[in-house]
Amino acid sequence: CFQISCQGATSITTFAVFLCDKIAPALHQAVYERTALAIARDMQSKIPDFNGNRFSLEVCILRYLAEKEHFEEFKQYLNCPGDFLQKYIEKRVEKYCLDKNRRLERFLHDSLSHCYESIQAAVFASTNVVKDRKDRNDKISLWLDEFCSSLGEVLNLPRKDLKGIEHQEITDIEFLNNAMTEALAPLKDHLKDEFSCADMSSFERQPHTILAEQFAGCWNQCPFCGAVCTNTMQGHDGDHQLVFHRPQVLTGYKWHGTDHLVIDICSSSVASDCLFRVGEDTWIPYKRYRDAGHPYCTWNIPPDPSMQAYWKWFVSHFRTQLEQRYNGKFQGRGEIPASWQRITKQEALNALEK
């Protein structure tokens, strides 16, 4: 319990210092929480990757991967698209905040100014409400009530944590106004010093996590080609579905009894007379893929022979790496058509935008 042993100006100053000690951690938290939101909003409005839906972000990721032309990164994306999306956003946020412009500091300073001004306004408003109240002896208790409720929107300072100082005999409420202004100044300076070496680990709730929430949705992957369901709702009703399926080699499919990799897409296979194997020795016609049980029965794969030029370019360009990865060959029914090999990276990228 907090006790003030001396009266007058000294007791008010001590009260103000004690209260500011309580405010300090709440202010720190509020500044970083506000900054994380501000960064996420700023990037949403200024960076094209983040101002659409998840499908448009996927297009941005595919463009990034093609421009890098790094097979290892493609592998990570194809294996765990959800994790890759998170890491992609995280890298973009880090670059945006910590590049030569050090935007992070600017965001932190803006948040601090906003929170600091709100605290000062709450001090002023509480003083105004309480100073002329002749009907109350417990002016400090009333002042703390007003102060905590004024701050509610900006920072979390529970009124119950201040019970130890609510019975102080402080009558000069106007002087308290000045004492608070003085006691608050070091809090601001301390935070400003901290900002110069702040990095992304300073956040409890990361800006990239806030950004990624916008792109939540279904992460189920097609059992044939591995492409991610395009439904924007997690646990959505109805079947999983896709705009474009991909060559089945991307999940390692081979023609039975050979090491020939499959370049067909699922949406053309379901219109063919081909079969696929489930388990050791069960063969199911692609046309009746739903009979294969879970997860096949949860997908709607309408017949459609159209394949994105992007994946034709990818298979041609990374032919050797794919053969090594899946221990197979692009031969026989898996022969890569000459027309695929003529597709340039730029044509692949252009097709993505359509």
Side-chain angles (χ1 to χ4, degrees):
C1 184
F2 171 74
Q3 282 298 320
I4 297 175
S5 53
C6 40
Q7 285 305 309
T10 315
S11 66
I12 295 175
T13 305
T14 315
F15 171 88
V17 169
F18 179 86
L19 182 54
C20 286
D21 283 346
K22 290 283 186 191
I23 290 170
L27 175 61
H28 187 277
Q29 189 183 354
V31 165
Y32 280 92
E33 276 176 10
R34 186 183 169 83
T35 301
L37 276 167
I39 290 167
R41 286 199 198 107
D42 196 59
M43 290 186 74
Q44 258 172 341
S45 66
K46 291 182 183 157
I47 295 180
D49 296 32
F50 303 127
N51 58 25
N53 57 18
R54 198 179 73 196
F55 183 70
S56 60
L57 176 57
E58 286 269 344
V59 169
C60 296
I61 288 175
L62 292 176
R63 191 191 315 116
Y64 158 83
L65 285 167
E67 282 164 357
K68 289 281 290 279
E69 269 186 58
H70 194 227
F71 186 69
E72 274 308 306
E73 284 205 86
F74 266 109
K75 224 164 81 175
Q76 289 162 20
Y77 167 74
L78 294 168
N79 281 352
C80 299
D83 291 352
F84 192 91
L85 178 134
Q86 286 275 359
K87 286 195 183 85
Y88 178 79
I89 296 175
E90 190 174 346
K91 276 187 203 157
R92 293 298 300 266
V93 170
E94 206 162 289
K95 190 168 179 229
Y96 190 73
C97 293
L98 303 178
D99 66 3
K100 62 179 189 302
N101 297 317
R102 285 282 300 173
R103 285 188 189 90
L104 177 58
E105 273 183 73
R106 195 187 74 227
F107 280 115
L108 286 166
H109 280 293
D110 287 351
S111 294
L112 176 59
S113 294
H114 172 84
C115 294
Y116 190 78
E117 280 161 24
S118 301
I119 296 170
Q120 284 186 307
V123 168
F124 187 73
S126 309
T127 305
N128 262 359
V129 167
V130 176
K131 67 178 183 188
D132 300 324
R133 289 287 291 268
K134 302 281 189 281
D135 59 326
R136 293 279 293 260
N137 294 329
D138 58 341
K139 284 192 174 179
I140 278 298
S141 183
L142 184 61
W143 188 92
L144 287 168
D145 290 345
E146 286 293 329
F147 182 66
C148 288
S149 72
S150 299
L151 279 183
E153 293 293 299
V154 183
L155 58 101
N156 180 29
L157 187 68
R159 173 67 179 85
K160 64 179 182 352
D161 292 357
L162 307 175
K163 288 225 174 289
I165 54 170
E166 65 185 16
H167 303 301
Q168 295 311 316
E169 296 286 326
I170 293 176
T171 47
D172 190 349
I173 292 293
E174 296 225 35
F175 184 72
L176 175 57
N177 207 33
N178 305 334
M180 282 298 293
T181 304
E182 241 171 80
L184 279 166
L187 297 195
K188 190 177 188 180
D189 295 339
H190 176 71
L191 274 173
K192 279 183 169 173
D193 291 344
E194 187 187 298
F195 293 164
S196 58
C197 53
D199 59 23
M200 304 321 285
S201 68
S202 312
F203 291 96
E204 209 171 305
R205 186 165 180 243
Q206 292 282 349
H208 70 81
T209 309
I210 297 168
L211 257 183
E213 280 161 11
Q214 180 196 341
F215 303 104
C218 182
W219 285 104
N220 269 271
Q221 290 176 260
C222 171
F224 295 114
C225 71
V228 175
C229 171
T230 42
N231 199 301
T232 54
M233 295 288 290
Q234 227 168 356
H236 59 85
D237 293 335
D239 293 327
H240 302 302
Q241 52 194 359
L242 285 171
V243 182
F244 294 110
H245 285 268
R246 301 166 179 175
Q248 290 175 336
V249 61
L250 300 188
T251 51
Y253 267 68
K254 293 179 190 152
W255 290 102
H256 181 60
T258 74
D259 65 350
H260 300 167
L261 297 164
V262 177
I263 61 169
D264 302 40
I265 50 172
C266 345
S267 47
S268 59
S269 295
V270 295
S272 72
D273 294 322
C274 292
L275 311 172
F276 67 96
R277 187 167 63 172
V278 182
E280 284 304 302
D281 50 9
T282 308
W283 289 90
I284 309 271
Y286 269 102
K287 282 177 180 163
R288 296 211 327 268
Y289 67 90
R290 282 176 177 274
D291 296 350
H294 194 82
Y296 303 92
C297 59
T298 63
W299 280 82
N300 175 30
I301 307 174
D304 179 7
S306 54
M307 190 195 305
Q308 284 174 298
Y310 183 92
W311 294 109
K312 295 177 181 177
W313 166 80
F314 172 77
V315 168
S316 304
H317 187 75
F318 290 108
R319 174 187 190 129
T320 311
Q321 290 92 329
L322 288 165
E323 286 182 335
Q324 283 168 354
R325 184 176 184 207
Y326 294 115
N327 197 18
K329 294 267 179 257
F330 287 107
Q331 286 175 358
R333 292 182 72 168
E335 185 78 45
I336 296 174
S339 60
W340 289 24
Q341 295 170 49
R342 289 194 292 272
I343 295 169
T344 64
K345 181 161 79 174
Q346 195 50 54
E347 285 167 341
L349 291 172
N350 293 347
L352 270 185
E353 306 303 327
K354 288 175 185 165

